Structures are given as C-alpha cells and as structure tokens.
Amino acid sequence: MNNKLKIKIKTSFFAALMAVLMISCKKEQTSYTFKGKIDGAADGTKVFLKIVQQDMFATVLSPEFITDSTIIKNGKFEFSGKIPEAKLYLLVINSKKTPEKPGMPLFQPSIPVFLENSDVELEADLDNIPLGDRLLQEGNFSYNNIEVSGSKSHELYLNYFDGVKLFDEKSSALFDKEYLPYLNPVKGSVKQPISKGVAIVTKIEDNQEKRKAYVSGFIKENINNMVGLFIAQQELSKFSVEELEKLEASITAEQKKTLTGKNLIAKISDAKSIAPGAPYIDLPFTDAAGNAVKISDYAGKGKYVMLEFWASWCHPCRADIPHLKEVYELYHPEGFEIISVSMDQDKQAWLKAVKEEKIPWLQVSDLQAFTGDLAKKYQIRGIPTCILLDPSGKIVTRNMRGSFMDKKLIDLYGNHFGKNF
C-alpha cells in the first residue's frame, strides 16, 4: 500500500473518530425555547402556559396551574426556561372576551404541547385552534392545522393522541347519537325497549375494551419515558387493582426518581383504593330516621350492593329514580341491594326529596356533601355516581347507571325485565 493511500485512510479514520467523539460528548440541552406564530391574534393578546395535571378538567378551568405568561407581538410569542423533565403544558391564548353561551365558563383557544428542553416551534391560525372545552369531551379536540416541531416528546404524544382519538370519536358518537337519544326520546315518541339500551352500551363497552388495550400497549412500550408515564397517570381510573399493581411493578427504578414517576406512584396508590377489585371503604352515616349506620352493616354480607351517590338538588340523579325503582322491584328479590348516599348538606332538603320520591331502599348521609371523608375516600367528583360491590364487598364497577346497570344485572341474575325488554 503506498504512503499516500495510508495517509488518506488514517485521515478518514481520524475524522470519523472525532465526529463520533464530538457527538458523544455533546451536552444535552438544559433549557427550552418555545416560539409560536398565531395568525389572526391581535397584538397584546395574553398567552399562558399551564402545566397539565392528571385532571384536564381542573387544568382547563383553574388559573392556579399557570406557570408562565407573555403577550403576542406581530403575531408571535416566545417562552423560555428550564424544566427538569418533559411535561405536557396547555398553551392558552386569552383572546375571547365573552363565553360562547351565556352562563357558561369562558373557554379560550387552547393547545396541549409536550415541552422538553429543546427549541420548540408552533404555528397555527387562531380561528382553527379549538376552545378549551373540546379537551373535556372525548374525541372532540383536533390538531388539524396546528404545527408543532422540535419536541420529540410531543411527536410521541401526538402519535398516541392520533391512535386513541379514533376510539374516543367512536365512543362519543355512540353516546351522543345513540345512547342519549335512547335515554331522552323525542317528546311524544314511544321509549324504546330495554334491549335497545343494552345493545348500545354493549357496543360502548366493546369500544372501551379496545381503547384500553391500545392504551395499555402504548404505556407498556413507553414506560421508560415521560410521555408513557404521563399517559399512565391520565388513564389510572380505567384499570383494576391487579392491573395497577402490574403497572407499578413495571416502572423502572430510574423513572421512580423523576417528578412524574414519583407522582405516578402516589396516584397509583390512590387509584388502587377505589379501583375494581378493591374492598369497600367503611364509613359512618345516619339514616333518614336518625339512626347510626355503617356501610359494613350491609356490604360484604353475601349480596351485591350498589352505592348510589346522589343529592336532592341533582336533576339527573332524580331523573334516574323511576328506573332505579323498577330495577329494585325486579332484582331485590334476587338479593340485589341499593344504598343511596346523599351528598346533601341540607338535612331537610334531603329528607323532603326522599319523601317526595318515595324511595323504598336505605337512605343515608353524613351531610358533608363534597367536603367530608366520603367524597375524598371514594373520590366522588360528580353525581350521580353508582358503585357496585360484590358479595365479598369488593368493587365491581363504578359505571352502574342506566343501561349499563341493566346489562350488569342481566349478566349477574338473568333477564327479569319481561315484556319491557
């Protein structure tokens, strides 16, 4: 081999080696810039960054999660800073002055963006940015005409979002276009048979199971990154105690040291207390006659027991009562029990409603509404909520209303609806 060729080979090898060393020694970026261009936004419009917690509802409606703000100038905005790990933020453009409908919250154009310590850019037209209320409705938010670049975490989140959105859109369509019209028929029309409602919720539950399989697969593949940990935290309420324990065991020691990992571990602990498979939480109440009552007086005694959380002022709760009476009459002889737990604070309003509705099963309350141990320990954030306990006192499901209840009772006891089915 001649000397010139040897020199060329050595030079090429040295250059390649230096390139590898330079790449390997390159420091990871420790800060971020987030630049955006919002066509149609007026100069001076305020822009906020909100850190997204597990509950998107609270993030959208509450100002307490704001971490930074700026204003738009010449259609552009810019944020910069450092974050310890990639996190989902909500970009809120404060451009709306009045609510879409009188009496409704003022929802602003909002975009979830997964930020990391990198240079992130966003482009959108103000008129194409969905309002925040879309984030509270399954399948209604869209990233169409919104471009985000520079964040690998956001790319991964968007891939997940695109996949799960298909299931959410189907669920929303089934609920809005089939189930709600079944529950609330057009005035003057005949209500359809119970079998129709059961058929609809069967489709909804099938779709939910497919969605759960997709989400579980994504989490399993991404449990080693912030996006996977965040999605896991968002979806905890969909899992049983057994599934939550498996999820907890899959989190690596390294991820457990991160802020998101630590938060996820804490949330899993909370979720396990009220997930399917968890034992009921015993609490003291007073019945309508003023007697002291505990859940343990009835639960875990060899019968299925439904805890129905309601209130005198809750119109949907009271609208459910006629069907609950029908179900109770048919299935109580089979051993099915109902305990209505009032979320009222006004004792007289509670007792008046019980008398008006002529409810035949046990009525109890602690009269602390959403401020006491009841709401906290059972994680009751809205009513009506109906929780089914199995004969040993373990939670079966937290979705025990309407046709979902009918389907479950038929599964457990057989069909006793007769001609109404």
Side-chain angles (χ1 to χ4, degrees), residues 41-220:
D43 279 5
T45 300
K46 286 188 176 181
V47 182
F48 301 103
L49 274 183
K50 287 185 172 185
I51 189 165
V52 177
Q53 303 297 327
Q54 181 183 11
D55 189 344
M56 181 65 80
F57 188 87
T59 306
V60 170
L61 292 178
S62 175
E64 67 181 279
F65 300 111
I66 294 174
T67 60
D68 205 351
S69 64
T70 187
I71 61 171
I72 290 177
K73 187 175 181 180
N74 297 324
K76 298 180 180 180
F77 69 84
E78 181 174 343
F79 292 100
S80 61
K82 297 180 179 180
I83 49 179
E85 59 201 38
K87 283 187 176 295
L88 187 66
Y89 287 81
L90 190 61
L91 176 72
V92 182
I93 298 92
N94 198 41
S95 62
K96 298 288 183 182
K97 303 304 179 186
T98 57
E100 292 285 294
K101 297 179 181 178
M104 295 294 290
L106 178 56
F107 291 106
Q108 300 288 358
S110 304
I111 308 172
V113 181
F114 230 107
L115 294 179
E116 57 188 26
N117 287 321
S118 62
D119 298 321
V120 185
E121 295 187 6
L122 177 148
E123 288 189 23
D125 186 291
L126 184 62
D127 291 337
N128 290 325
I129 300 174
L131 298 183
D133 61 333
R134 295 292 182 90
L135 290 162
L136 311 180
Q137 305 166 27
E138 285 189 348
N140 281 342
F141 189 85
S142 173
Y143 278 95
N144 289 344
N145 304 308
I146 299 172
E147 296 291 334
V148 179
S149 60
S151 169
K152 292 182 178 178
S153 295
H154 186 80
E155 290 178 17
L156 182 58
Y157 174 72
L158 200 56
N159 287 338
Y160 165 79
F161 182 87
D162 287 343
V164 81
K165 191 172 187 289
L166 298 175
F167 297 104
D168 289 343
E169 286 175 341
K170 184 173 182 180
S171 179
S172 181
L174 286 169
F175 194 85
D176 294 341
K177 296 178 181 179
E178 295 190 37
Y179 190 49
L180 285 182
Y182 165 78
L183 291 177
N184 306 293
V186 177
K187 190 174 181 179
S189 63
V190 178
K191 183 174 175 62
Q192 297 182 71
I194 285 171
S195 57
K196 177 68 174 179
V198 170
I200 295 170
V201 299
T202 298
K203 289 191 287 185
I204 293 174
E205 289 180 342
D206 288 346
N207 184 62
Q208 288 172 339
E209 284 302 310
K210 291 175 183 176
R211 182 190 188 278
K212 183 177 177 181
Y214 170 81
V215 171
S216 298
F218 180 89
I219 293 171
K220 186 176 181 179

Side-chain angles (χ1 to χ4, degrees), residues 6 10 27 29 100 109 146 184 190 265 270 285 290 296 298 361 396 405:
K6 287 181 180 179
K10 287 181 179 179
K27 290 185 177 180
Q29 191 166 331
E100 292 285 294
I146 299 172
N184 306 293
V190 178
I265 294 295
D270 289 341
F285 298 104
S296 56
Y298 297 88
W361 54 85
V396 177
M405 174 180 62

Side-chain angles (χ1 to χ4, degrees), residues 4-25:
K4 287 185 178 181
L5 183 58
K6 287 181 180 179
I7 292 171
K8 283 184 178 179
I9 292 173
K10 287 181 179 179
T11 303
S12 298
F13 175 77
F14 181 73
L17 179 62
M18 287 302 295
V20 171
L21 289 173
M22 287 177 68
I23 292 172
S24 63
C25 293

